[in-house]
């Protein structure tokens, strides 16, 4: 299935797994069933505020298990994506399960991601509301380029290039930020950051309760 964009090009609406369109895909990634839910770290914890270590061992059961656990944790939190340091693991790795602005679902994982530097002519900033599983509750406007290309490796060590636009581009940038020790709060003014932290304190218990209920619903 496809639809035509305003520039006349055709958009393939199939789910993209590791950037590749597939003809069918389940509502929950298979990793969710295999994975164990882990505690999500919260802003202020040291692991969220320093650069993570590169993944150097690929194709291991441990790495596959971590990816499964991250997918399960993300599903329970109703997240779009989650980085390894958000489950208290010091590795440059994130996973995603997100539907973009055009209704295309993207699912996958990437290790050691590096964002391409976009030329000035292609840098169109979009200011949209952004939240974070490690900042439970608040959403704040954050300007980011509406196009992103990230390069890294999959769990077997094979090269991987993922391109995103709109909301998915924001996701790729947000998660790469995490692995360099940055949260979206670091992109806010001091006053906005203080307000977000205050909102988090008022809402985090409700967010945590929803995650527990979702875990029960998913049998996790």
């Amino acid at each position: 299935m496809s639809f035509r964009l305003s520039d006349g090009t055709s958009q393939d609406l199939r789910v993209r797994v590791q950037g590749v369109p597939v003809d069918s895909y389940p509502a929950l990634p298979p990793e969710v069933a295999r994975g164990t839910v882990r505690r999500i770290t919260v802003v202020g914890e040291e692991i969220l505020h320093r650069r993570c270590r590169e993944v150097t061992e690929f194709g291991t059961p441990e790495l596959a298990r971590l990816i499964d656990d991250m997918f399960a944790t993300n599903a329970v939190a109703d997240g779009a994506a989650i980085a390894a340091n958000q489950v208290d693991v010091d590795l440059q790795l994130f996973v995603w399960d997100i539907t973009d602005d055009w209704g295309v679902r993207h699912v996958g994982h990437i290790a050691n991601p590096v964002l391409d530097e976009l030329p000035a002519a292609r840098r169109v900033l979009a200011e949209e509301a952004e939240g974070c599983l490690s900042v439970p509750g608040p959403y704040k406007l954050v300007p980011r380029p509406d196009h992103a290309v990230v390069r890294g490796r999959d769990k077997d060590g094979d090269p991987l290039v993922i391109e995103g636009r709109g909301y998915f581009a924001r996701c790729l940038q947000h998660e790469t930020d995490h692995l360099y020790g940055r949260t979206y709060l670091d992109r806010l003014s001091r006053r906005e950051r203080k307000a977000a932290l205050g909102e988090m304190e008022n809402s985090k218990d409700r967010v945590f309760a929803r995650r527990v209920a979702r875990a029960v619903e998913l049998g996790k």
Side-chain angles (χ1 to χ4, degrees):
M1 181 179 180
S2 65
F3 71 92
R4 195 161 296 279
L5 299 175
S6 58
D7 62 4
T9 59
S10 182
Q11 173 68 61
D12 186 340
L13 290 179
R14 288 180 295 173
V15 177
R16 285 161 171 74
V17 179
Q18 296 296 93
V20 178
V22 297
D23 290 329
S24 64
Y25 197 76
L28 286 175
E31 294 90 343
V32 174
R34 299 193 299 260
T36 298
V37 176
R38 302 196 186 195
R39 184 185 72 87
I40 297 176
T41 53
V42 177
V43 64
E45 296 186 42
E46 189 266 344
I47 196 169
L48 289 174
H49 303 285
R50 57 176 165 83
R51 181 171 177 163
C52 294
R53 295 183 298 109
E54 287 192 359
V55 177
T56 56
E57 296 184 18
F58 294 93
T60 66
E62 292 78 14
L63 184 59
R65 189 176 307 117
L66 173 59
I67 290 170
D68 288 349
D69 290 355
M70 290 169 66
F71 269 104
T73 305
N74 186 60
V76 161
D78 285 323
I82 194 167
N85 57 355
Q86 292 184 274
V87 294
D88 206 24
V89 175
D90 181 19
L91 284 177
Q92 291 185 19
L93 172 72
F94 68 83
V95 308
W96 63 90
D97 183 358
I98 178 174
T99 299
D100 68 21
D101 309 60
W102 298 273
V104 178
R105 184 181 176 194
H106 302 263
V107 184
H109 69 272
I110 192 168
N112 304 338
V114 177
L115 286 164
D116 280 5
E117 189 68 35
L118 294 177
R122 295 175 60 192
R123 285 178 60 86
V124 178
L125 287 181
E127 190 173 44
E128 301 288 348
E130 194 166 316
C132 180
L133 299 182
S134 291
V135 188
Y139 284 76
K140 296 296 177 183
L141 292 177
V142 180
R144 291 190 191 267
D146 69 352
H147 178 212
V149 177
V150 67
R151 301 174 189 270
R153 296 191 178 274
D154 68 13
K155 62 184 176 63
D156 297 313
D158 294 325
L160 183 63
V161 180
I162 301 294
E163 181 174 7
R165 297 181 182 276
Y167 184 42
F168 187 37
R170 179 172 296 275
C171 168
L172 295 174
Q173 294 169 82
H174 178 112
E175 299 307 322
T176 301
D177 267 0
H178 268 304
L179 304 180
Y180 286 83
R182 298 187 293 264
T183 71
Y184 84 90
L185 297 181
D186 297 313
R187 296 182 176 273
L188 303 179
S189 68
R190 182 176 299 181
R191 185 172 70 175
E192 291 171 323
R193 186 162 56 248
K194 183 177 180 181
L197 290 171
E199 290 175 35
M200 183 187 81
E201 286 303 313
N202 291 330
S203 62
K204 64 181 182 181
D205 288 345
R206 292 192 300 274
V207 173
F208 295 157
R210 285 200 302 269
R211 292 176 185 174
V212 170
R214 179 64 170 154
V216 172
E217 180 185 339
L218 295 178
K220 308 303 289 186

